Amino acid sequence: MSDVQQAGDTFVPLRARSRPKPLSWVATVVVLVIAAMIVQALVTNPHFEWAVVGKYFLSSSIVGGLWRTIELTVFAMVGGVLLGTLLAVMRGTSNPAVSAAAGCYIWFFRGTPLLVQLIFWFNLSSLYPTLRYGVPFTPMVFGEVTTNSVISPYTAALLGLGLNQAAYTAEIVRAGILSVPHGQLDAAASIGMTRLMTMRRVVLPQAMRVIIPPIGNETIGMLKTTSVVSVLAMPELLYSAQLVYSRTYQIIPLLIVASLWYLLVTTVLTIVQTQIERHYALRGPAATEDPVLALLRRAFRVHARPTPPVSTVTTPTPVPAQGGTP
């Protein structure tokens, strides 16, 4: 069927009609009814105590816990990414001892629960009451410190989160490195580049397109995983809320406060992740579309209305005959 139909010298665009979709309308009605029920429950149920939520949302204890959560997330991810990248490079070396050591690290920290690792680091003094530094396998000791003076709840949280994250990051980076075609390595070697230079200037820049999305997801997951360190009496966001409701017995409102802050920071991180993915994208909508608009477009399925085609056909003008009257 042609895009336009001719009516004399006027071309009128055709308007295609979509087929009726009754199941789609039924699904829309069901979703809207469920959404209305949820809104009604949130508004009419007095046990949510929204006044209490507003009272503690910007309180100093909650905001202080929020900053500690963000601090733990940043430091744990930086340490995890740096150590994970080193482990990924070690895993891909031809040295069997180095590769096996990296593999054992990844196997151990991925195979044990994070909560167990956090409790282990917090109770390290039970295994080593003092920490000594000197020459290994000799009686030469330069100094020693008590373990409890070094391993505080904050240090135990950083060690547990960072070392655990490094094991997962190593596999992400290794997958990104393996995604680079082997011909790129051969080309770099042919022009005299060392392995370290090849990794830094050829492999990693190309692998970033594969590495960035899962690292962004891991960062968002780390933000929420920091709530686990509440078992160490570390006053992050969740534990700060627990300290408040242990005095006031307003459990639900304080949990809502913590959840709202988690949702807010997660939304910001999602927008930042989308912006970074847009930077490293080669082509397609992700390389040109604004991340906020893309998020709204995916949420509401907004599509641009196609512009009617403009006809380029013109009516020929009669030309007078030579030597006579037209």
Side-chain angles (χ1 to χ4, degrees), residues 158-272:
L158 280 181
L159 287 173
L161 295 174
L163 296 179
N164 182 268
Q165 181 59 45
Y168 291 92
T169 304
E171 293 299 293
I172 294 173
V173 175
R174 190 170 71 94
I177 293 174
L178 294 177
S179 67
V180 179
H182 197 271
Q184 299 284 343
L185 307 180
D186 296 336
S190 65
I191 60 176
M193 296 180 67
T194 63
R195 288 189 175 183
L196 181 60
M197 187 180 298
T198 302
M199 181 64 65
R200 183 167 56 92
R201 295 188 177 182
V202 177
V203 177
L204 288 181
Q206 298 184 67
M208 291 300 290
R209 292 189 296 271
V210 178
I211 295 174
I212 287 297
I215 288 295
N217 294 333
E218 290 290 327
T219 303
I220 295 173
M222 177 62 71
L223 175 73
K224 296 176 290 184
T225 305
T226 55
S227 60
V228 180
V229 305
S230 60
V231 299
L232 307 181
M234 176 69 192
E236 42 75 52
L237 179 57
L238 178 60
Y239 191 71
S240 298
Q242 290 175 335
L243 289 177
V244 175
Y245 72 62
S246 64
R247 301 192 309 266
T248 63
Y249 299 101
Q250 296 168 322
I251 299 176
I252 298 300
L254 269 300
L255 290 179
I256 293 176
V257 169
S259 300
L260 290 177
W261 275 118
Y262 280 123
L263 286 172
L264 180 61
V265 180
T266 299
T267 303
V268 173
L269 291 178
T270 302
I271 295 175
V272 173

Side-chain angles (χ1 to χ4, degrees), residues 110-132:
R110 290 178 65 190
T112 54
L114 174 60
L115 183 59
V116 175
Q117 297 175 27
L118 288 171
I119 297 175
F120 175 85
W121 288 114
F122 185 70
N123 294 278
L124 186 62
S125 59
S126 301
L127 188 61
Y128 296 103
T130 59
L131 299 176
R132 301 177 181 180

